[in-house]
Amino acid sequence: MKIFFLASSILSADFARLGDETKKVLDSGIDMVHFDVMDNHFVPNLTMGPMVLRSLRQYKIHADIDVHLMTKPVDNLIPQFALAGANYITVHPESTDHLDRTLDLIKFHGCKVGLGFNPATPIGFLDYVMDKLDMILLMSVNPGFGGQDFIPSALEKLREVRKKIDKSAYNILLAVDGGVKVNNIANIALAGANVFIVGSAIFNSNNYQKTIRNMRDELDSVSHGVIH
């Protein structure tokens, strides 16, 4: 059986009640929290900083938090988010002039290492840094805003990266971020993902628990080879 993880992108949550919303989605069955950091430079939006992450930890949010840094430059933020309570820190190749050094910096500060790829970013970078990674994140929308539609070409990219992981000797999670919904999560899983970052599909629903349960049912069908 395949093991799948659901991560909640709190970018789509009600920021006026961020602590409560995060706790609610975790209580509804989410495995981990995805924390999108945007700087209005690397991507066209401005979101959350280390103080917000620290506040969530002080609010007794104990789940793993993946901090997705969509910022440039990026290195100066890594120790700040590590200190604030990140478990994973994910960066993009375009955000640093020295990717190998940046990945080492994440590890040095005690966090698991993620590498993210925008829809048109080639995956060739992986050939040189696979040994440093705990997670590979493929964007299935252009980063910046929640609620976008899934880009179909991301499925082929997922298949290519899954082959690279399977051929390697490394235990690396493969995450997909953007446009993940109940009606496409099974196909995304079949393409090779095992971490599904979900935002608006949950936070815009009337019943978080029911939406998450429906997603789990779809993933269970993949695990057991019975596709709905």
Side-chain angles (χ1 to χ4, degrees):
M1 287 181 59
K2 298 178 180 178
I3 299 175
F4 299 119
F5 302 96
L6 289 176
S8 178
S9 172
I10 57 173
L11 179 66
S12 297
D14 180 352
F15 276 26
R17 302 185 297 114
L18 190 58
D20 288 339
E21 286 269 76
T22 304
K23 189 169 286 186
K24 179 180 176 181
V25 80
L26 287 167
D27 290 343
S28 297
I30 284 293
D31 299 305
M32 61 193 296
V33 175
H34 188 77
F35 191 99
D36 286 307
V37 181
M38 305 180 187
D39 64 355
N40 198 36
H41 173 66
F42 186 69
V43 292
N45 198 357
L46 186 66
T47 59
M48 304 173 281
M51 289 187 293
V52 177
L53 176 57
R54 187 176 298 111
S55 295
L56 286 179
R57 289 305 194 194
Q58 292 171 347
Y59 199 72
K60 308 302 182 187
I61 301 299
H62 300 301
D64 278 358
I65 296 178
D66 169 34
V67 172
H68 182 190
L69 294 180
M70 290 166 279
T71 67
K72 187 175 183 178
V74 72
D75 286 2
N76 62 321
L77 290 174
I78 289 169
Q80 296 181 53
F81 277 100
L83 185 63
N87 300 101
Y88 290 79
I89 295 181
T90 297
V91 299
H92 287 254
E94 301 96 331
S95 67
T96 174
D97 292 327
H98 303 283
L99 179 59
D100 186 85
R101 180 185 297 164
T102 297
L103 299 178
D104 283 342
L105 185 64
I106 297 171
K107 193 75 170 178
F108 176 79
H109 285 281
C111 294
K112 293 184 177 179
V113 181
L115 184 60
F117 291 86
N118 289 331
T121 301
I123 61 173
F125 292 96
L126 291 174
D127 294 337
Y128 306 97
V129 298
M130 290 276 283
D131 60 315
K132 298 179 182 291
L133 302 180
D134 298 291
M135 181 164 63
I136 298 166
L137 185 155
L138 299 187
M139 296 298 302
S140 44
V141 299
N142 287 296
F145 302 94
Q148 300 182 66
D149 290 333
F150 185 90
I151 296 174
S153 61
L155 291 174
E156 182 55 34
K157 202 171 188 180
L158 277 165
R159 294 184 191 103
E160 292 175 16
V161 176
R162 170 49 59 196
K163 289 177 184 177
K164 282 183 174 290
I165 294 172
D166 289 347
K167 287 179 181 178
S168 76
Y170 307 115
N171 183 21
I172 303 173
L173 295 172
L174 179 52
V176 64
D177 183 4
V180 179
K181 303 180 186 301
V182 173
N183 64 7
N184 65 9
I185 196 169
N187 284 333
I188 296 169
L190 287 169
N194 53 11
V195 178
F196 307 86
I197 298 165
V198 188
S200 59
I202 294 173
F203 287 107
N204 292 347
S205 70
N206 294 324
N207 187 321
Y208 296 178
Q209 192 169 22
K210 181 179 178 181
T211 301
I212 293 166
R213 183 66 261 166
N214 288 341
M215 288 184 171
R216 296 276 188 206
D217 289 343
E218 292 294 315
L219 293 174
D220 285 347
S221 73
V222 175
S223 294
H224 293 92
V226 182
I227 310 304
H228 295 152

